[in-house]
């Protein structure tokens, strides 16, 4: 709608799409900056850490791409910024649930992130969490999911959701035949290259400590629930093809990348800077 409005003001449709994509990119970069602050990264490493988040094939979503991937990425990174904040007050629970609603309304794929949201409310608490606020987050998250579902159905999205469910079931049964094993690695290298590098750069001790930390729960849960959905398009019969799988994998790629940054954040400042120096040219 915004490119159409800009078109009526005299801009070309191409310029309108490009301006919207640029605005979404700025929102995404600001959200990445916010996430690095939530992870407690040292100030001298935050710019490089933001670059590590952004340097992936998902950046194509902001290159004048007239689709929903850029909107989903921009809303998702802000949702993760709220998810990683301490649940000290009801206001923070409301902000997290509202960010979840915005993400789901930007793309129906966001609904699968109910699993990490539930983990955040019911799993091991982060430092600063209060039990009553976590209970409120669970209730507010459920309310946000209901509002998103009602909005989708009111907008005629029920038929699309039914098609998605059929595609997903068909993809899960035919994925092994339709997708060559190398394509799984290619897609992950495109949308989450840092996920390949971070475990080697962090080392076994940091990796073991991260897996045991409360922070790992929602991030890993979000990554695992999104992995099968990355190859739904090439594995089903509607003919869109493998060239669309980077788009469907954008949310999973972002979640895996944030998990990798959270892992690197456990390193001492000197080792973190060294890891980023090695990672950024490769990314």
């Amino acid at each position: 709608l915004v490119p159409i409005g800009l078109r009526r003001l005299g801009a070309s449709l191409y310029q309108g799409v490009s301006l919207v994509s640029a605005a979404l990119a700025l929102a995404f970069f600001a959200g990445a900056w916010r996430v690095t602050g939530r992870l407690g990264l040292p100030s001298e490493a935050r710019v490089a850490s933001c670059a590590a988040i952004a340097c992936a094939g998902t950046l194509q979503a902001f290159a004048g791409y007239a689709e929903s991937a850029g909107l989903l990425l921009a809303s998702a990174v802000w949702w993760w910024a709220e998810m990683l904040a301490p649940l000290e007050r009801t206001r923070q629970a409301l902000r997290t649930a509202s960010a979840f609603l915005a993400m789901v309304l930007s793309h129906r794929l966001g609904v699968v992130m109910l699993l990490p949201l539930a983990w955040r409310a019911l799993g091991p608490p982060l430092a600063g969490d209060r039990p009553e606020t976590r209970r409120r987050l669970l209730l507010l998250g459920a309310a946000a999911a209901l509002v998103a579902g009602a909005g989708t159905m009111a907008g005629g999205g029920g038929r699309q959701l039914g098609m998605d469910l059929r595609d997903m079931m068909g993809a899960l049964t035919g994925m092994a035949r339709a997708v060559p094993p190398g394509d799984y690695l290619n897609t992950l290298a495109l949308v989450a290259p840092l996920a390949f590098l971070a475990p080697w750069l962090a080392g076994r001790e940091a990796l073991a400590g991260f897996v045991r930390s409360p922070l790992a729960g929602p991030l890993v849960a979000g990554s695992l629930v999104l992995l099968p959905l990355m190859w739904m398009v090439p594995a089903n019969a509607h003919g869109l093809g493998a060239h669309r799988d980077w788009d469907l994998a954008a949310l999973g790629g972002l979640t895996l990348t944030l998990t990798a940054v959270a892992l690197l954040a456990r390193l001492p400042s000197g080792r973190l800077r060294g890891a980023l120096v090695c990672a950024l040219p490769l990314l």
Side-chain angles (χ1 to χ4, degrees):
L1 294 175
V2 177
I4 292 172
L6 293 172
R7 175 81 171 83
R8 292 174 178 172
L9 293 175
S12 69
L13 194 59
Y14 177 86
Q15 291 170 333
V17 170
S18 296
L19 286 170
V20 171
S21 297
L24 289 173
L26 291 175
F28 175 78
F29 297 149
W33 180 261
R34 183 67 170 245
V35 166
T36 58
R38 297 294 198 200
L39 292 173
L41 287 158
S43 57
E44 65 271 17
R46 287 186 68 183
V47 172
S49 299
C50 286
I53 293 172
C55 288
T58 49
L59 203 59
Q60 296 177 72
F62 306 112
Y65 186 57
E67 250 285 5
S68 55
L71 183 61
L72 175 61
L73 287 169
S75 59
V77 74
W78 277 98
W79 175 68
W80 275 116
E82 298 303 329
M83 280 275 287
L84 300 177
L87 290 169
E88 297 176 327
R89 300 180 180 180
T90 302
R91 180 175 60 184
Q92 183 56 44
L94 182 60
R95 287 167 58 121
T96 306
S98 300
F100 173 74
L101 177 60
M103 177 178 60
V104 175
L105 292 178
S106 69
H107 196 289
R108 58 194 178 277
L109 183 63
V111 74
V112 301
M113 303 306 269
L114 270 173
L115 178 60
L117 183 69
W119 192 296
R120 183 71 181 88
L122 300 172
L126 301 184
D129 284 358
R130 299 179 64 179
E132 62 272 19
T133 307
R134 300 178 74 214
R135 289 193 294 269
R136 293 184 187 116
L137 173 61
L138 188 64
L139 294 175
L140 290 168
L146 290 174
V147 171
T152 300
M153 300 300 290
R159 180 172 176 271
Q160 183 63 52
L161 288 175
M163 293 170 58
D164 290 342
L165 185 59
R166 288 194 299 273
D167 284 345
M168 191 182 305
M169 293 299 102
L172 291 176
T173 56
M175 194 178 294
R177 297 189 303 272
V179 183
D183 279 10
Y184 294 109
L185 296 177
N186 286 335
T187 302
L188 289 174
L190 176 66
V191 299
L194 188 61
F196 285 91
L197 303 174
W200 301 99
L201 295 171
R204 184 181 302 177
E205 185 177 345
L207 181 60
F210 172 72
V211 170
R212 292 192 297 266
S213 69
L215 182 64
L219 286 165
V220 173
S223 300
L224 291 178
V225 75
L226 286 164
L227 278 175
L229 302 181
M230 288 187 179
W231 299 279
M232 189 174 76
V233 169
N236 60 35
H238 55 44
L240 287 177
H243 62 283
R244 285 295 307 273
D245 58 1
W246 78 269
D247 187 343
L248 193 65
L251 181 57
L254 173 64
T255 304
L256 279 168
T257 300
L258 295 181
T259 304
V261 172
L263 167 59
L264 293 177
R266 298 184 63 86
L267 296 176
S269 180
R271 281 193 61 193
L272 174 61
R273 289 197 300 269
L276 292 171
V277 166
C278 291
L280 285 177
L282 294 172
L283 298 177

